[in-house]
Amino acid sequence: QVQLVESGGGLVQAGGSLRLSCAASGRTFSTYVMGWFRQAPGKEREIVAAISATGSGTYYADSVKGRFTISRDTAKNTVYLQMNSLKPEDTAVYYCAAARRWNRFPPRQRDEYDYWGQGTQVTVSS
């Protein structure tokens, strides 16, 4: 069983930055597509970014393109989400997820991911 643990969330002012980390267990980390999702109160969970198993391919939701960067460090079994120029609309619980198999890159739906972290709160004040 793969376990994912997120960290790095917190309270920041609009325009500020945060770096989220997701530490994964297991030797098969390098074979997974990794994604970041977020969920605000009363809203559906939505994909924010994804990165291919090799790290060569990335995807970003239009709402965060140009502001967020996803990366992975295979040696550390860790995926990161660098968030810059944060806006109040970015306020949400952020979740790390791993997909073992996929039909196309990136998997964008919640049910395409097999493993999930517990989530970390990001709050952006205006």
Side-chain angles (χ1 to χ4, degrees), residues 42-124:
K43 296 185 178 180
E44 294 184 7
R45 193 170 299 188
E46 63 178 0
I47 191 168
V48 175
I51 188 165
S52 65
T54 64
S56 62
T58 58
Y59 162 85
Y60 299 96
D62 288 343
S63 60
V64 307
K65 198 170 297 181
R67 300 187 297 121
F68 291 10
T69 303
I70 189 170
S71 61
R72 66 194 298 163
D73 186 333
T74 301
K76 295 182 178 180
N77 272 20
T78 301
V79 63
Y80 304 96
L81 185 68
Q82 178 67 46
M83 305 185 295
N84 298 326
S85 302
L86 283 162
K87 304 175 180 179
E89 306 95 275
D90 296 317
T91 295
V93 176
Y94 283 70
Y95 297 91
C96 177
R100 296 178 297 171
R101 299 177 295 272
W102 55 96
N103 293 322
R104 60 190 66 84
F105 181 83
R108 300 185 185 186
Q109 303 302 316
R110 181 174 180 173
D111 61 6
E112 295 183 273
Y113 288 81
D114 303 286
Y115 307 106
W116 292 85
Q118 81 287 351
T120 185
Q121 177 71 46
V122 172
T123 303
V124 184

Side-chain angles (χ1 to χ4, degrees), residues 31-47:
T31 71
Y32 302 152
V33 166
M34 300 298 296
W36 285 98
F37 286 71
R38 67 186 182 187
Q39 188 165 22
K43 296 185 178 180
E44 294 184 7
R45 193 170 299 188
E46 63 178 0
I47 191 168

Side-chain angles (χ1 to χ4, degrees), residues 8-36:
L11 173 64
V12 297
Q13 292 186 320
S17 298
L18 283 174
R19 190 193 195 197
L20 305 184
S21 297
C22 173
S25 66
R27 296 193 231 94
T28 54
F29 169 77
S30 62
T31 71
Y32 302 152
V33 166
M34 300 298 296
W36 285 98

